[in-house]
Amino acid sequence: MRFSTFITAVASLAVGINAYWLGDISHQGVAPFAGSGYKVFRNVKDYGAKGDGSTDDTAAIAAAMNDGGNRCLQGCASTTTTPAVVYFPAGTYIISKSIMPPYFTQLIGDPTNRPVLKATANFAGFGLVDGNPYFTENLNWLSVNVFYRQMRNFVIDTTAIAPATAATGIHWPTSQATSLINIEFNMPTDASTVHVGLFVESGSGGFMSDLTFNGGATGASLGNQQYTMRNLVFNNCKTGIIQLWNWGWTYINLQFNNCGTGIDISAPGADNTLAVGSAIVMDSTFSNTQVAVKTAYTTSTTPDTAGSVILENIKLTNVPTAVQGGSGSLLAGGSMTIAGWGQGHQYVSGANRELSGSITPNARPASLTGSNGFYSRSKPQYNTLPASSFVSARSSGAKGDGTTDDTAALQSAINAANNGKVLFLDYGLYKVTGTLKIPAGTKIIGEGYPIIMASGSFFGDINNPQPLLQVGANSGDAGQVELTDFVVGNSGPAPGAKLIEWNLASDAANPSGMWEVHARVGGFQGSNMQVAQCVKQPGSAAINTNCIGAYMLMHVTPKASGLYMENTWLWTADHDIEDSANTQITVFSGRGLYIESTVGNFWLVGTACEHNHLYNYQFANTKNIFVSMFQTETPYYMPLPDATQPFPVVASLNDPNFATSCSGVAGNCAESWGLRIINSSNFYIYGAGFYSFFNNYDTSCSTVTAGETCQSRIVSLEKSSSINIYGLNTIGSLSMLDRDGASVASWKDNVNVYPSNIIMYKSG
Ligand SMILES: *[C@@H]1O[C@H](CO)[C@@H](O)[C@H](O)[C@H]1NC(C)=O
């Protein structure tokens, strides 16, 4: 052991510079629309940062962020044309003003020895890292349009700032396809401390994991539409989490040690209402903490179901009060395990609508469980591999320039990496005109979200779909694949493109994984589906066939099994990211994610699927599915056109047939399902938000006063059993949930802060 450690150390000295492979490999990413000489990768030390614990590195880090002249910061709406990966080697970087990463920036520290960002005593700014600055009274970017950014492997230190002086570690109001991973926040523990580790006031997230908060008044102050957060540790915080507002939230594996309050979801809203929609807390521990969870839900608070909560598998050690309500203790604590407890509206056969008290959680299938609750695996960063273990797509001949056909070069890069190596997909836009076959054993990691784009006639037939990425070239192939940090999409019309076809069978004990692998159809430079080609046409049901971008975003075929998906956003664009006004566009994609694995064993953790035509999520003939926070949106153009055209109904794919199923259903029935489950069983859904905001680009249908009339139905369970849903949220749909063609619950019986909420549903 010692000897090989020594050899590794000598080897890394020999190649010179960094401990982590990302610092050592050659950097060849190209951003074809950013101008010549534009650098995607920036090492802060190349811009003069010292990381020596004494030099003020603020200006050097800003220079690394802003290099290139045309980066998207103040006054810029959003962009995909000027990406940056900003790398921080180990060291202590002293900063005196906020670091403001422009749009489409990744901040990556060395995970083998995390860099420290340390504030000076007189630090000025809202966050050592300010992910969305207030240059004016408004956030710089509309927080619901902040996509494609991440930050990982850092220590954020505010201990040099006086405890009673306001200080924030990271300010992060962002949305889909963003993440904070593997970050420690160090704050003063003095009684007078007012420091806050993480502050999020808005957005439509999202995902975060592996964060530790030490000290401070509040570990994390969180307001956002919905989130999955995993593996958060709070030590010596006055309050671990203050939930400012939300529509829904799922917390997995939190640990609170020596805090005053663990999680506070009791925040008031305007006019005597509650601000927090609901929260699910699972597989978590609270130790030496006065109050584990503070709630405000009662049968007389408003809105009706606001403040709903589920606790499942919660271990308490010396916690006097488990749940504290507005007028005292609702559940005494001690040292014990809470199997299940909840408040809100339940739809469970034989039970009262009002839930307040203990619940009996569903038995979890062994195939879905890991060492601590449901199986999970944080994003691989390949910390132990040397640079020589990586095969570069560019070195293998791929151009990534958005115009060259890279099909053959990428396939040979995939093949070259398939012997214990990892394919490094250098930043670029890779145009592909055929199927890329990804065999068992493949590992791919992208640099700053490169995109592989389906292009040309191979993907042109709406009646003959072809896969862009085919994982497991043959149905029934077995083994494991790991895909991380890249995007699949289209360049030009691709009505026959299935962006990902997953055929691979993986053992549930050793599943395959996808982390931050996203789909993006239209809405970016290189897609040829922007404002110029596909601007919205309100009032018209005409279908511009040049704006059909995909047949299906992801298809998991019958013999596939065993896949862990984390922070995956399958997006058919509703607006043009490059447009200065984020103008809306009409782009069509037939189907979102379809899983028809007969073996099952899938984990969907912090995934979202938006604006797909027939459905966003559909499952058929499958079982054993764990979900943490489904999130969908119905296409904004519907019902002009509605879902009956232009995609022909394919019976072998179990497509919904609205022409027949809508008979007798009032309202806008032929619209995309948020979720449809057919002939399936054993679903464990922890949080869901199915949203229909628009009626032909007009939002007036998605309000309580308008009667949530955007569409008739949004979730359908058909011939299925053991479907368990905690925290079902819907917006804009008359029926919240249908079973075998009949509505189970109406929005108006379950009004929440903006959505309607059912905190617990069991299909039986
Ligand atoms: C229902 O699913 C099971 C298990 O996957 C399958 O064997 C059966 O054929 C399916 N039934 C129908 C009607 O599709």
Side-chain angles (χ1 to χ4, degrees), residues 53 92-96 116-120 128 155-160:
T92 296
Y93 299 86
I94 302 295
I95 59 169
S96 53
V116 179
L117 302 181
K118 187 168 172 62
T120 57
L128 275 64
V155 175
I156 302 290
D157 186 335
T158 62
T159 57

Side-chain angles (χ1 to χ4, degrees), residues 519-730:
R520 183 170 74 225
V521 177
F524 63 96
Q525 192 162 353
S527 67
N528 294 319
M529 291 190 187
Q530 297 181 252
V531 170
Q533 299 87 3
C534 303
V535 72
K536 68 177 174 180
Q537 305 287 347
S540 165
I543 291 161
N544 179 351
T545 54
N546 289 326
C547 297
I548 303 179
Y551 182 91
M552 185 187 283
L553 302 189
M554 180 165 172
H555 184 193
V556 178
T557 58
K559 289 182 179 163
S561 64
L563 173 61
Y564 179 84
M565 297 170 68
E566 186 177 275
N567 198 6
T568 286
W569 182 41
L570 304 175
W571 188 59
T572 297
D574 59 280
H575 67 270
D576 183 349
I577 295 181
E578 322 303 352
D579 181 72
S580 62
N582 280 165
T583 299
Q584 291 174 320
I585 55 177
T586 297
V587 171
F588 300 96
S589 158
R591 302 152 187 89
L593 170 61
Y594 179 38
I595 294 183
E596 53 169 338
S597 154
T598 57
V599 171
N601 299 325
F602 290 81
W603 298 262
L604 281 70
V605 177
T607 72
C609 193
E610 296 185 317
H611 319 133
N612 299 293
H613 200 75
L614 297 172
Y615 54 81
N616 283 305
Y617 291 96
Q618 180 173 285
F619 297 82
N621 313 329
T622 192
K623 64 185 180 208
N624 294 347
I625 308 289
F626 171 77
V627 174
S628 161
M629 197 51 77
F630 273 130
Q631 188 252 308
T632 70
E633 288 184 3
T634 299
Y636 299 176
Y637 51 79
M638 286 188 176
L640 293 178
D642 69 15
T644 58
Q645 52 173 334
F647 297 94
V649 174
V650 179
S652 61
L653 289 175
N654 285 297
D655 277 347
N657 187 344
F658 295 103
T660 55
S661 69
C662 282
S663 138
V665 179
N668 293 322
C669 172
E671 298 217 356
S672 175
W673 290 110
L675 169 66
R676 183 166 181 247
I677 300 175
I678 311 156
N679 184 38
S680 296
S681 63
N682 287 3
F683 277 57
Y684 300 80
I685 300 172
Y686 291 75
F690 302 111
Y691 312 141
S692 186
F693 295 111
F694 294 86
N695 193 332
N696 193 221
Y697 291 104
D698 181 343
T699 56
S700 54
C701 58
S702 58
T703 61
V704 165
T705 36
E708 306 287 341
T709 55
C710 304
Q711 71 186 78
S712 310
R713 320 174 296 181
I714 202 155
V715 176
S716 181
L717 311 183
E718 302 169 25
K719 297 185 170 59
S720 294
S721 59
S722 295
I723 310 298
N724 304 289
I725 309 177
Y726 288 134
L728 168 68
N729 295 287
T730 67

Side-chain angles (χ1 to χ4, degrees), residues 5-6 105 126 128 237 239 287 303 316 332 365 410 520 535 561 587 626 659 666 721 739:
T5 308
F6 173 75
T105 300
F126 189 16
L128 275 64
C237 306
T239 300
S287 300
L316 306 182
L410 277 185
R520 183 170 74 225
V535 72
S561 64
V587 171
F626 171 77
S721 59
R739 185 166 191 197

Side-chain angles (χ1 to χ4, degrees), residues 8 11-12 15 19-22 24-25 382-390 422:
T8 309
S12 75
V15 293
Y20 184 48
W21 61 267
L22 183 61
D24 284 344
I25 60 171
Y382 305 112
N383 300 8
T384 58
L385 297 184
S388 58
S389 290
F390 292 80
V422 179

Side-chain angles (χ1 to χ4, degrees), residues 212-483:
T212 298
F213 301 86
N214 298 316
T218 311
S221 236
L222 304 171
N224 194 288
Q225 293 177 9
Q226 65 285 309
Y227 247 100
T228 293
M229 293 190 175
R230 290 180 44 232
N231 302 353
L232 312 187
V233 179
F234 299 84
N235 300 313
N236 307 303
C237 306
K238 288 190 199 169
T239 300
I241 297 172
I242 293 180
Q243 192 85 63
L244 303 170
W245 67 276
N246 74 25
W247 297 349
W249 214 282
T250 305
Y251 292 108
I252 307 172
N253 187 27
L254 310 189
Q255 296 172 37
F256 298 86
N257 303 304
N258 304 308
C259 295
T261 298
I263 308 178
D264 184 345
I265 62 163
S266 68
D271 304 324
N272 295 316
T273 63
L274 299 180
V276 176
S278 62
I280 297 164
V281 186
M282 57 190 292
D283 297 346
S284 294
T285 64
F286 296 79
S287 300
N288 301 312
T289 290
Q290 293 307 302
V291 174
V293 180
K294 220 179 242 187
T295 71
Y297 180 93
T298 73
T299 53
S300 57
T301 41
T302 53
D304 197 8
T305 64
S308 296
V309 64
I310 288 286
L311 308 179
E312 184 175 299
N313 186 28
I314 305 294
K315 187 163 180 264
L316 306 182
T317 305
N318 189 24
V319 174
T321 304
V323 182
Q324 182 171 310
S327 46
S329 170
L330 295 174
L331 181 64
S335 294
M336 59 193 265
T337 297
I338 302 168
W341 193 88
Q343 286 183 300
H345 284 186
Q346 61 180 333
Y347 282 71
V348 177
S349 176
N352 287 336
R353 178 67 43 81
E354 276 295 337
L355 165 67
S356 186
S358 293
I359 56 174
T360 305
N362 308 297
R364 300 175 180 183
S367 65
L368 289 179
T369 58
S371 56
N372 175 27
F374 284 99
Y375 171 88
S376 63
R377 182 176 165 201
S378 294
K379 176 157 106 169
Q381 301 199 51
Y382 305 112
N383 300 8
T384 58
L385 297 184
S388 58
S389 290
F390 292 80
V391 171
S392 151
R394 294 259 298 151
S395 296
S396 306
K399 292 276 178 276
D401 59 9
T403 52
T404 305
D405 184 344
D406 280 324
T407 316
L410 277 185
Q411 187 64 61
S412 63
I414 292 165
N415 299 345
N418 196 261
N419 53 14
K421 302 213 168 183
V422 179
L423 173 60
F424 184 67
L425 194 60
D426 314 78
Y427 186 81
L429 287 81
Y430 296 92
K431 193 168 131 180
V432 165
T433 58
T435 296
L436 295 176
K437 292 184 183 298
I438 301 191
T442 303
K443 298 181 165 96
I444 302 176
I445 187 165
E447 176 189 40
Y449 304 122
I451 183 164
I452 300 173
M453 307 183 299
S455 182
S457 60
F458 182 73
F459 299 107
D461 186 350
I462 202 169
N463 293 307
N464 183 20
Q466 299 294 339
L468 171 65
L469 297 193
Q470 189 176 49
V471 182
N474 302 298
S475 178
D477 278 3
Q480 202 199 25
V481 160
E482 298 176 5
L483 306 180

